[in-house]
Every structure is written in structure tokens, then in C-alpha cells.
Amino acid sequence: MEVFDHLMQGFAIALQPLNLGLVIFGCALGLFIGAMPGLGSVNGVAILLPMTFLVPPTGAIIFLAAIYYGAMYGGAISSIMLGIPGASTAVATTFDGRPMALQGLADKALITAATASFIGGTISVVLFTLFAPPLAAVALAFGSAEEFALMMLAFATFIGLGGDDIPKTLFSIFIGLVFSAVGLDIISGQPRLVFGDIPGFLHGINFLVLAIGIYGIGEMLWTIESSKGDVKISQATVTVRRIIDDLRTLKDTFKSIVMGSILGYFVGILPAAGATPGSLMAYGVAKTISKHPETFGKGNPEGVAAPESANNAASTGSMLPMLTLGIPGSPTTAILLGGMVIWGLEPGPMLFIEHQEFVWGLIASLYVANVFSLLINVGFIPVFIWVLRLPFTILAPIIFVLCIVGGYAPTQDMHDVWLILIFGVVGYLMRKLEYPLAPAVLAIVLGPLAETSMRQALLISNGSFMVFFERPISGPIMAAAIVLFLLPIIKLVKDKFRTRAAGN
Amino acid sequence: MRKAELVMALVMGLFSAYLMWKSAELPIGWIPEEGPGGGAFPFWLATGMLVCCLWIIARWFKRSSTVAASTDQYMDAATLRLFLLVAGALTVMIGLIHIVGVYVSIPLFMVFYMRYMGGHHWLPTGVIAVMTPIVAFFFFEISLRITLPKGMTEPLFYPLYDIFF
């Protein structure tokens, strides 16, 4: 049991007073950052990274990993209580979490999210501990064709399983991808799509700008309209008895949680994907395997459990290639990787040999972070419900201000704030016409990766698109994506035949 | 609803065409030894956007989608007024950030929203309008070290910088 010995050594490091304190502080801060619309784990980690130079490298990375974890829990809080994802990773949680809160089941949704996050986190950390070397070898075999195929699969889930209007869904994917191409061309370095020669477009359109615009400003405008200035406040009572009852009914969602954990973990490992597509895919799969798929989107606890277990599992999964191969599995781990290089901890296979204490201390801290995130999250549920009880005319301006200031913080450019306003207003007007907007947000996140992997693959194949179908791993993924793309068309044709047959 | 659907599809169609034209500033074809040109990816995606808009317009004529067949009003007068008020207030707030900075424009916006839109009393309005910028200052400027734009009010913060930094 060499692994067990290493893990025990790791706990000895993670439970040192300073490191333990950093884990608890990081989890609490992460929960808050995750819950704030506009600030996600990636902002929190990026912004706080310079401040961690106050503590030793092991403590610093443990602190940042705890923020990452806490933010994954916290994202669900605003998804459920406000209907605004606290981070892109919690987009899928709004689909059922918000309807549950509106039905007065906010406490149940929050408990489901917290427990699913905890189970997802724990399952994935155990997987991480046991199977790190062989799984890293699988991810290593992925080339650009496979990355691109995987992203096609993510988009295809929107078409095949989204259930929204097809041309509008496609439009949403395309516009997100085009916005992701704004800025400097990744290969030639030439400026591209710099509208009106405004210099603000040179650094591209950050996905957060679109996300805050759509899910912050746009969502608020939507809520103001649907409530005519005063939101219907859901009654949510939290007592120990209710929490116990909520926990008891959780076993119904157990299948979704385990599925989400495993799916999320594996999606998280892949360098191109991460917690956002992982949670969206888990939602799609949970809906497909459910006996009552029609209740999804209307407040099914499984629709909260699946993405929440998946995003926590994916955040652990994304650390695996970062630590073992030096390839970040998500934007947040990319920043962690940058920090590790500064601290002289060069990630890669050698890290496990040269800095054993650091690696196992970090892994053990993930177990600890999981426990504390759960405790803080559940312990503070009354605080989150108090937020919902605030009159909407007080909450709305505070959220608007958070969106504006939170949108300014990452790039510190007023240009982005104006874009947030434009995206918010246009997004709201489009949403009224039933344009789904989540695909655009996913597309702008995946866009740069999709373009790079496609161009690399095409360069290797000398322009032949067959490269995506011929390779043993990308072939089946592409086939699955095509089936998903065609699913609604097949359904449409079938329905037409049926109505025609019925007419005759 | 029908009019809005058509206008949105037309506007987005025009925007797609603009994106195609803008993408074509970079090579959109195959460059030997280099792969697809820098403009190829956005160009073909913008083409996809245009096709989707044409598809939506075609269905508008056939009235074959739920929105295109809907007879509901897109926005009634009360909704439009509310939308213009909120969007207008946001625009003014962001515009004022350039001139007087966040620490003046945010309280103004909050007072307008809570007092005028929400009809709250002066006490809660005042407390929240004053507390929000103070919390923002400590969270962003002190703990995260992000300088928020202050416009012409910048000199007023010099003594504060001396205390905290």
C-alpha cells in the first residue's frame, strides 16, 4: 500500500496548522467568490495568486486549490438562489436549481448541490489518488483531432439534447465561436475582427464579458420584466428536520451523482474540456437516462445533482494532467500551473519524484477542502436564503453593481464594461425571442481551443477533414457527435410522417 | 412578436454579413505549408450565422416556428418603460464612471434605483448606497489590489492610499 503511505504523509502536511487554516480560509473565500455573479474560480485564483507569495509554496497552492474547490460549491448557490450562474461551471445548475428555488425548494436544491459536490469531489479525489499514472497515459494519447472531436460532441449535445429551436441554437453556437475569434489570430498573430479599429478588441472578447452580460445584466432585465420590478420571493424554510428530510430523499439522485462524478472526472482530465462542458454533458446524460426526462428544467433534483457532482469531479480531474503532464485541464489550472513554475515546482512526471511531499500534501488537502466546503456551505444556508428574502429593488442594483465591478476587475478595461452592457441588452432582447444563449457562452469558452485543434489537425492531414474520422479515438467521438446533430432532424421527419399518416 | 422576430433575424443577418466581410480581411483560404488562413475560421462560422438567419426568416414566412406564429405582443408599454429606465440608468452609470469614477456613480445609481424605482425609505437606501462602495473599496482595492476607475475624484483617494499601501 505505497499509495496509502504517501497519502498519510500528505495528510500530515495538509493538517499542519498553517495549511489547515489556509484550506478553511480558501474554501470560505472560494464559496463567496463562486457565489458572486461574474467572479468564478478562475478570477479568484488569478487575482489572489500574487498575494499567496506571503506563504510557502505548498501553502500557497493548497490555498488556491481550496479556492478552486470552494468556488465549485459556491457557483451553485447563485445558480439556485438568483438564477445567475456564479461561474460558467454552474450554468447547468440553473436549469433545474432555479425552478426548484421558485417552487420553494431552495433548501433542497442547495443541500442536493452541496452533497453532490461533496460526493463528486470525494469520488474524483479517490480516483485521482489511485489511478493517476495510467489515466494520464490515456490523456497523453489525445491529439488535436481528438480534442476537436470532443468539442464537436459538446456542441452536438446542445442540438441533440437541448430541445431548443434548432436554427437559433446553431446561431448561438456560431456567434459564440466568432466572438472567441476576435483579437489576435493565434497562428499568424495578425489582428482579427477588430471592430471599428477600437483597441479594446485587440485583447479579444473574454468569455466572462459575454457570460456576465448574458447571465448578469440580461438575466436581471429578464427577471425585472417577468416580475415587473418585484420578484416573487420563494418561501424557503431551513430547519434541522428539513435538512435531514432533504438528505433522506437524496438517495433518488444517487445514480445521477455517481454518473456525474465519473463523467465529470474523465471530461476534466482531457486538456481541451473542463468543468463547464463536463457539467453540461452530465446534465444531458442525466436527462437521457432518467425515467422522467420531461421533469428536467422544471425542478428535478437530479438536474442539480448531476452537473454539481460533475463540476467538482472535473476540477479534480483537470489537475491530473496539470500535475502529471504539465498540460492544464482548465483555465484555472492553467493559472495554477503558472504559479507553480514561479515557485520552482516544475509540473510534469518528475514532480511526483522530486517534490513528493508537495504533491501528496496537495492531494490530501483536496480531501480536507472537500469536507470544509461542505460544512461551510451547509452551515451558511440560512445566510443564502436571507439573500433571496431581500426586496428585489434592493438586490437588483447590488447585482448590477457587482456585474459592472466584477466585469471590470479581470482586465481593468472600461471597454469590457460597455461590452457587458451591450451583450446584456441584446441578449435579453434575443432571449425574449427564444434564442438559447448558453451555447454561445460555451462556444466562446471553447472557441480558441476548437480553432487551434482544428487548424493543427488540418495542417497535419494537409487539409483533409477525414483526419477527424479516421483516427481510432476521434472517429467514434465524431460519429457520436454527428448522431446527436442529426437526432432532431430524424425526429422532425418522423413527426411529419406520423402527422401525414394520421391525416390520411 | 412577429415583427420583432423578423427585425432580429434581419439585424443579425446583416451583422453576420459584416462579420464575413471583416473576417475576409485576413486570408480565408488554404495557405500552402501553413494551413487554413487566419480568417477562415470566423469566415465560415459567420457564413453559418447568415444561413441560420435566412433559415429563421424562411420560417417566419411559413409561420412554422412557435415565435413566428405567435400573436403575443413583444413588449407592452409598461415593460418597454421599465426596460428603458433600467437600461438607461445602467448606461448613465457606466458613462459617469469615466467622468466621476465608481465611487460617485455607483451610489447615484443605487439611490435612483432604490428610492425612485423601488420606493424604499431614505434610511435603507442611504445605508446600502454608502456601504456598497465602501465594501467594494475594501474588497477590490485593499484585498485584491485592483484599482477601480475614479475619474476626476482620484485626488480625494490619495490620503486613503497613504493609509493602506
Side-chain angles (χ1 to χ4, degrees), chain A residues 109-200:
Chain A
L110 286 170
I111 301 264
T112 307
T115 317
S117 297
F118 177 71
I119 298 173
T122 308
I123 290 178
S124 60
V125 179
V126 172
L127 287 173
F128 187 111
T129 314
L130 295 176
F131 299 105
L135 285 175
V138 173
L140 197 59
F142 275 59
S144 44
E146 284 75 21
E147 279 175 24
F148 183 73
L150 200 82
M151 278 177 266
M152 289 302 286
L153 188 66
F155 293 130
T157 47
F158 276 108
I159 309 281
L161 307 168
D164 290 304
D165 195 274
I166 293 158
K168 286 176 181 172
T169 309
L170 273 170
F171 180 84
S172 185
I173 294 172
F174 287 139
I175 199 168
L177 287 171
V178 173
F179 281 153
S180 78
V182 172
L184 298 174
D185 173 23
I186 21 175
I187 291 180
S188 67
Q190 287 167 301
R192 178 165 74 168
L193 294 174
V194 180
F195 307 116
D197 290 322
I198 301 167

Side-chain angles (χ1 to χ4, degrees), chain A residues 29 32-33 36 39 44 47-48 51 148 165-168 170-171 173-175 177-181 185 187-188 190-197 217 221 224-225 228-229 391-394 396-398 400-402 404-406 408-410 412 414-415 417-418 421 425-426 428-430 432-435 447-448 450-451 454-455 458-459 461-464, chain B residues 1 4-5 8-9 12-13 15-16 18-19 22-23 25-27 30-31 33-42 44-46 48-50 52-53 55-56 59 65-68 74-76 78-79 82-83 86-87 90-95 97-98 102 106 109-110 113-114 117-120 124 128 132 136 139-140 142-149:
Chain A
L29 209 60
F32 178 67
I33 289 169
M36 265 180 56
L39 283 183
I47 293 162
L48 292 170
M51 261 156 274
F148 183 73
D165 195 274
I166 293 158
K168 286 176 181 172
L170 273 170
F171 180 84
I173 294 172
F174 287 139
I175 199 168
L177 287 171
V178 173
F179 281 153
S180 78
D185 173 23
I187 291 180
S188 67
Q190 287 167 301
R192 178 165 74 168
L193 294 174
V194 180
F195 307 116
D197 290 322
I217 308 280
L221 289 170
I224 289 166
E225 187 212 318
K228 287 283 184 293
F392 194 65
T393 41
I394 287 182
I398 295 177
F400 278 132
V401 167
L402 284 179
I404 302 293
V405 182
Y408 176 81
Q412 300 180 41
M414 280 304 286
H415 167 81
V417 177
W418 284 109
L421 180 69
V425 170
V426 177
Y428 158 76
L429 295 174
M430 291 179 84
K432 279 177 76 73
L433 294 166
E434 294 177 12
Y435 282 81
E451 186 184 2
M454 188 185 81
R455 282 168 74 168
L458 285 178
L459 194 58
S461 73
N462 220 350
S464 161
Chain B
M1 205 64 138
E5 171 85 344
M8 182 62 82
M12 287 297 150
F15 183 55
S16 315
Y18 168 72
L19 286 172
K22 194 80 188 160
S23 309
E25 285 178 354
L26 291 184
W30 181 265
I31 307 171
E33 308 296 311
E34 242 182 72
F41 185 76
W44 291 108
L45 289 166
M49 283 167 65
L50 188 62
C52 288
C53 291
W55 188 353
I56 293 165
R59 290 192 319 171
S65 73
T66 44
V67 178
Y74 183 62
M75 261 197 212
D76 56 34
T79 310
L82 203 60
F83 166 70
V86 177
L90 281 168
T91 312
V92 171
M93 169 174 72
I94 299 173
I97 291 177
H98 288 282
V102 285
I106 286 176
F109 171 77
M110 300 199 88
Y113 205 104
M114 282 183 281
M117 308 266 296
H120 294 284
I128 293 168
T132 309
F139 187 75
F140 288 100
I142 305 300
S143 68
L144 298 184
R145 310 243 162 168
I146 290 174
T147 329
L148 298 175

Side-chain angles (χ1 to χ4, degrees), chain A residues 301-314:
Chain A
E302 287 187 59
V304 173
E308 274 308 307
S309 55
N311 68 21
N312 273 64

Side-chain angles (χ1 to χ4, degrees), chain A residues 39-290:
Chain A
L39 283 183
S41 60
V42 64
N43 308 64
V45 170
I47 293 162
L48 292 170
L49 190 116
M51 261 156 274
T52 58
F53 290 120
L54 290 170
V55 293
T58 309
I61 197 118
I62 283 175
F63 174 69
L64 293 174
I67 292 179
Y68 190 17
Y69 246 75
M72 289 294 159
Y73 279 79
I77 297 165
S78 49
S79 291
I80 292 164
M81 304 310 283
L82 307 172
I84 304 166
S88 71
T89 50
V91 169
T93 313
T94 54
F95 301 161
D96 277 279
R98 185 58 179 160
M100 281 180 80
L102 292 174
Q103 289 160 24
L105 296 170
D107 59 322
K108 190 173 177 178
L110 286 170
I111 301 264
T112 307
T115 317
S117 297
F118 177 71
I119 298 173
T122 308
I123 290 178
S124 60
V125 179
V126 172
L127 287 173
F128 187 111
T129 314
L130 295 176
F131 299 105
L135 285 175
V138 173
L140 197 59
F142 275 59
S144 44
E146 284 75 21
E147 279 175 24
F148 183 73
L150 200 82
M151 278 177 266
M152 289 302 286
L153 188 66
F155 293 130
T157 47
F158 276 108
I159 309 281
L161 307 168
D164 290 304
D165 195 274
I166 293 158
K168 286 176 181 172
T169 309
L170 273 170
F171 180 84
S172 185
I173 294 172
F174 287 139
I175 199 168
L177 287 171
V178 173
F179 281 153
S180 78
V182 172
L184 298 174
D185 173 23
I186 21 175
I187 291 180
S188 67
Q190 287 167 301
R192 178 165 74 168
L193 294 174
V194 180
F195 307 116
D197 290 322
I198 301 167
F201 284 112
L202 278 173
H203 64 61
I205 299 176
N206 190 321
F207 84 93
L208 262 175
V209 168
L210 186 67
I212 298 173
I214 288 174
Y215 291 112
I217 308 280
E219 181 77 36
M220 285 319 267
L221 289 170
W222 178 266
T223 317
I224 289 166
E225 187 212 318
S226 48
S227 63
K228 287 283 184 293
D230 194 25
V231 81
K232 284 165 237 90
I233 300 157
S234 337
Q235 288 301 314
T237 30
V238 179
T239 58
V240 176
R241 178 181 286 268
R242 271 189 77 127
I243 291 179
I244 292 167
D245 283 347
D246 290 340
L247 285 172
R248 208 167 277 156
T249 55
L250 265 180
K251 64 178 187 297
D252 303 337
T253 61
F254 196 68
K255 192 175 66 174
S256 296
I257 293 176
V258 174
M259 179 279 297
S261 308
I262 293 167
L263 180 77
Y265 180 71
F266 284 99
V267 173
I269 291 174
L270 306 171
T276 307
S279 59
L280 286 161
M281 278 161 83
Y283 183 85
V285 174
K287 189 175 173 179
T288 317
I289 62 171
S290 168

